[in-house]
Amino acid sequence: MSDFVDRVTVHVKGGDGGNGSAGIRREKFKPLAGPNGGNGGDGGSVIFVADRNATSLLDYRFMPHRTAGSGTMGLGDNKDGSKGDDLILPVPCGTVIFTAKGAQSAAKRPGEQLADLRHEGDRFVAAQGGNGGLGNIALANKTRRAPGFALLGEPGEERDVILELKSIADVALVGFPSAGKSSLIAAMSSAKPKIADYPFTTLVPNLGVVIAGDSRYTIADVPGLIPGASEGKGLGLEFLRHIERTEIIAHVIDCATLEPDRDPVADYQALEKELALYADKLELPLGAIPIPERPRIIILNKIDVPEARDLADFVRPEFEKLGLKVFEISTASHEGLKELNFALSALVKEMREEVANREQAEEEARVVIKPLESGRRTRRADQGGTALDFTVERRELGNGEVVFEVLGTKPERWVVQTNFDNDEAVGYLADRLAKLGVEDELRRKGARPGDNIRIGRGNNAVDFDWDPTISAGAEMLDGSNLGARGKDLRLEEQDPRSRRRSNSERRAQYHEMMDARAAVREAMMAERLAGHWADPSIDDDRHDTTSLFGRGESAEDADGADGGDADNS
């Protein structure tokens, strides 16, 4: 069984964000001292990183589902939840990441290219982690002073991607089956490919590292090509992608073949035709040299056979007329391998400088627009917007019902963050949608109270009956709508002094206080002039039983006496 995998489908999912906390600070004699719920932690992301120590995508075939760590929930006492760990996935240099297209139960096929990890350390975030939900202390403001709810964490991004490995080698060996490509790699490097005397022995590409003096370069053995490989015949189409990143194409030609309809020149022309057809379908990376412009060399193999040596001497002038360098070798006797090794080393050094110059020129020519350093999507408790931030469409269902579908980044994200078991949270969602302009757009589209409204799509869609008069739960604690949206009456009822007085109110209260003081002084002065304070024999209160001179009459006697006096008079 082969352990080389160069294409695999991976299901990646970012970590979910933790929920915010709706904690309330409690102090002595203050059961509602204010909010103190912390924010939930952000979820981790799934990140692919190009690593030169990775050689295959085999691990992802056996473990195709990868999930990053989720954030934890916020706590009371203004404690934020911890962030989920990012999942770092190493892939070989030269890995290209595509979106996966196709039905859920069918085989996936590559779609849009997402990233090209060509160099060591290149990174790509395949699945972004979800933002943590805001706690009630972050949702509080001067009008909503004690929110009784918090936002839920957002789920992490989830999708399928296709990883496709395009080997990065300096020299690509191409040729018909049994031309001796695997034997050549085994003779020039420490690679141990499978070698046998039948066609299509090599079922997967082989890479070998070759040392020539103080230089080093890599050779890739592409499985045998045949006419029609660019259209899917044989194994060529499956592995032609491995020559896209090579700088030099070396044709390995079997001079000892016994097939009567083949000769070295015809083999070369047939393979060049397939490469030209395949090159038309390619979208080369930045700075890459087109396949038709890459240097070619001809390697005439198996000259240890007398007939093969004679054939090599005969066809060599024909290749040289085409401007091609020709090397006659034998992998069995190692004849000509040293000259080939140093010639390839010099050519590789020259092509590396050419590719570096092209990449630098392309980088200087193109305009790169970099976003601001934000690491995460914007997190705000309330965000205004315009009608361009969302769309409202009126859709008629098959059963005669009508639904108004609201789509947009903000409304869909807000719905996910809302805890629909909390009336105050639902009211807060209504406030945000109204501030964004969703209610005005619904009215413009002809929606009426009670119509079915759907926000989002797929499994995250939420359906509800539209009630444009709904308010935040804090305003409906006694069952009636007592104020405007977002206004918390609980604290105002407990502490009347929490509202700051105006200057006119301060002035009126001051005059009332001064008038009361003047009235008290006048009453005290009248009692003093009457002598009530100087003569203790005067009974000021005849109902006072503790008075030395008082009679201590009861209230009934006093009323009777007063009534009698009134009758006598």
Side-chain angles (χ1 to χ4, degrees):
M1 176 179 172
S2 172
D3 59 353
F4 181 86
V5 177
D6 61 349
R7 178 182 287 178
V8 67
T9 301
V10 183
H11 180 82
V12 293
K13 184 183 184 304
D16 298 333
N19 298 334
S21 173
I24 298 297
R25 186 174 71 253
R26 290 174 172 82
E27 300 176 1
K28 189 175 183 180
F29 306 117
K30 290 184 179 181
L32 185 62
N36 70 345
N39 302 329
D42 296 334
S45 301
V46 179
I47 305 174
F48 289 103
V49 180
D51 187 354
R52 68 177 60 184
N53 295 322
T55 58
S56 175
L57 302 176
L58 182 65
D59 293 343
Y60 302 103
R61 171 164 291 182
F62 295 113
M63 298 180 62
H65 293 265
R66 302 300 179 102
T67 304
S70 298
T72 61
M73 180 179 179
L75 302 175
D77 199 17
N78 197 19
K79 295 180 180 179
D80 295 339
S82 60
K83 179 184 181 298
D85 295 331
D86 292 335
L87 181 61
I88 307 298
L89 301 177
V91 294
C93 296
T95 300
V96 183
I97 303 176
F98 299 91
T99 58
K101 298 177 63 178
Q104 185 173 2
S105 58
K108 303 293 184 179
R109 63 183 187 277
E112 177 188 359
Q113 179 176 323
L114 300 176
D116 187 355
L117 308 182
R118 302 175 57 197
H119 305 98
E120 171 79 10
D122 288 349
R123 299 163 63 92
F124 173 69
V125 180
Q128 182 78 37
N131 286 335
L134 296 178
N136 61 351
I137 192 171
L139 298 173
N141 53 35
K142 61 181 181 181
T143 58
R144 190 190 306 108
R145 300 175 58 193
F149 67 98
L151 298 185
L152 303 180
E154 300 178 28
E157 186 180 5
E158 184 176 5
R159 62 178 173 179
D160 291 332
V161 296
I162 292 180
L163 306 182
E164 188 175 278
L165 176 58
K166 298 180 179 180
S167 301
I168 297 181
D170 299 305
V171 181
L173 302 181
V174 297
F176 275 72
S178 299
K181 300 183 295 298
S182 299
S183 300
L184 181 57
I185 280 190
M188 297 182 66
S189 68
S190 298
K192 303 297 181 184
K194 181 179 179 180
I195 301 174
D197 58 351
Y198 54 85
F200 296 108
T201 304
T202 303
L203 299 178
V204 297
N206 296 311
L207 257 67
V209 179
V210 183
I211 299 176
D214 57 352
S215 64
R216 177 180 298 183
Y217 61 94
T218 56
I219 295 180
D221 168 22
V222 180
L225 302 182
I226 61 175
S230 61
E231 299 176 358
K233 293 183 180 180
L235 299 176
L237 181 63
E238 186 68 19
F239 298 107
L240 270 174
R241 73 175 73 99
H242 292 278
I243 71 170
E244 295 181 14
R245 307 299 173 85
T246 58
E247 300 162 1
I248 303 168
I249 297 178
H251 286 270
V252 180
I253 298 177
D254 183 6
C255 291
T257 180
L258 300 178
E259 299 181 21
D261 56 344
R262 285 181 52 190
D263 64 84
V265 178
D267 289 355
Y268 167 77
Q269 293 175 348
L271 295 183
E272 280 295 323
K273 179 180 179 182
E274 295 302 322
L275 293 178
L277 293 175
Y278 184 73
D280 294 338
K281 307 175 183 179
L282 295 181
E283 293 184 4
L284 296 178
L286 181 67
I289 301 176
I291 289 181
E293 300 178 12
R294 298 177 189 178
R296 265 77 163 166
I297 65 172
I298 303 298
I299 302 175
L300 302 177
N301 194 14
K302 302 182 182 180
I303 62 172
D304 55 294
V305 179
E307 294 81 2
R309 184 183 296 272
D310 295 339
L311 180 59
D313 294 337
F314 178 76
V315 300
R316 181 184 186 115
E318 297 187 29
F319 287 114
E320 291 178 346
K321 289 180 182 179
L322 300 176
L324 301 173
K325 295 182 179 180
V326 182
F327 297 89
E328 300 178 10
I329 67 164
S330 171
T331 57
S333 63
H334 288 201
E335 180 181 352
L337 292 185
K338 184 176 181 180
E339 294 79 2
L340 175 63
N341 186 6
F342 281 93
L344 288 176
S345 176
L347 190 56
V348 166
K349 182 178 179 181
E350 178 183 345
M351 294 308 298
R352 285 177 178 173
E353 295 177 355
E354 175 68 18
V355 172
N357 293 335
R358 289 196 177 206
E359 289 183 353
Q360 183 177 1
E362 292 287 347
E363 288 286 352
E364 294 175 355
R366 69 174 183 167
V367 178
V368 179
I369 301 177
K370 295 183 178 181
L372 297 177
E373 292 292 337
S374 64
R376 290 280 180 183
R377 295 185 292 272
T378 305
R379 297 180 53 171
R380 294 182 59 186
D382 252 326
Q383 298 185 25
T386 64
L388 299 178
D389 297 326
F390 62 92
T391 60
V392 177
E393 297 293 338
R394 184 180 185 273
R395 302 186 182 278
E396 296 184 1
L397 305 180
N399 53 5
E401 297 182 0
V402 176
V403 61
F404 290 87
E405 189 177 51
V406 181
L407 299 178
T409 302
K410 291 181 181 179
E412 294 180 32
R413 181 160 54 90
W414 292 345
V415 166
V416 172
Q417 294 175 337
T418 301
N419 178 13
F420 287 92
D421 295 332
N422 188 309
D423 293 339
E424 189 176 352
V426 176
Y428 177 66
L429 173 63
D431 294 343
R432 302 175 87 179
L433 295 176
K435 186 176 181 179
L436 187 64
V438 174
E439 291 189 355
D440 295 337
E441 186 67 14
L442 286 172
R443 292 189 181 94
R444 196 179 68 83
K445 292 289 185 178
R448 298 180 180 180
D451 286 348
N452 187 19
I453 307 299
R454 176 180 300 165
I455 299 180
R457 55 170 66 90
N459 297 330
N460 294 329
V462 176
D463 292 79
F464 55 90
D465 295 334
W466 185 39
D467 183 4
T469 61
I470 189 171
S471 302
E475 304 151 21
M476 304 175 63
L477 296 179
D478 61 350
S480 60
N481 189 4
L482 299 179
R485 285 175 172 169
K487 193 173 183 180
D488 193 345
L489 302 182
R490 290 176 292 182
L491 294 181
E492 295 184 4
E493 292 176 357
Q494 289 187 355
D495 189 4
R497 296 170 300 176
S498 61
R499 189 180 64 84
R500 185 175 181 178
R501 296 174 297 172
S502 63
N503 291 335
S504 59
E505 291 175 342
R506 290 173 180 269
R507 192 178 299 108
Q509 292 177 2
Y510 173 78
H511 289 305
E512 291 177 1
M513 180 184 65
M514 298 303 295
D515 292 343
R517 288 181 178 180
V520 170
R521 285 195 296 268
E522 291 178 0
M524 295 177 65
M525 182 58 67
E527 292 179 358
R528 181 177 181 181
L529 294 176
H532 293 180
W533 294 355
D535 189 357
S537 62
I538 298 177
D539 186 9
D540 295 332
D541 186 2
R542 57 184 179 181
H543 305 295
D544 186 7
T545 57
T546 61
S547 175
L548 295 177
F549 301 95
R551 290 164 293 179
E553 298 180 3
S554 62
E556 292 79 2
D557 296 340
D559 293 340
D562 294 341
D565 294 338
D567 293 340
N568 294 333
S569 62

